[in-house]
Amino acid sequence: MADLPIAAVVRIAKKNGAERVGSDAAAALVVKAEAYIAELTKEANRLAQHAGRKTIKAEDVDLAVKSA
């Protein structure tokens, strides 16, 4: 079961130009978005630990995006 709500992902797609989003496409978007968030979090966590912190900060996420 996905953690991200499908309706939220469909809403984001529609706000970005999608007129309609099929259920299979919505499910695929959820899977890809969750995988991206997971990888981003792993890298941000690595950066936070390198800085001697347990808490991920926005700067860690920003750096993780740049390195991805």
Side-chain angles (χ1 to χ4, degrees):
M1 173 122 189
D3 290 326
L4 288 176
I6 291 177
V9 173
V10 169
R11 205 167 31 254
I12 292 167
K14 287 184 176 185
K15 282 183 181 179
N16 286 282
E19 207 170 304
R20 293 171 56 186
V21 181
S23 60
D24 58 336
L29 283 168
V30 167
V31 168
K32 295 293 184 180
E34 287 183 351
Y36 177 72
I37 292 168
E39 290 304 313
L40 198 60
T41 302
K42 288 176 190 175
E43 180 63 14
N45 189 52
R46 187 188 70 74
L47 292 165
Q49 287 180 344
H50 179 74
R53 292 182 274 104
K54 291 183 179 181
T55 302
I56 297 173
K57 292 185 173 187
E59 63 194 47
D60 301 320
V61 177
D62 291 339
L63 287 171
V65 168
K66 289 178 184 174
S67 70

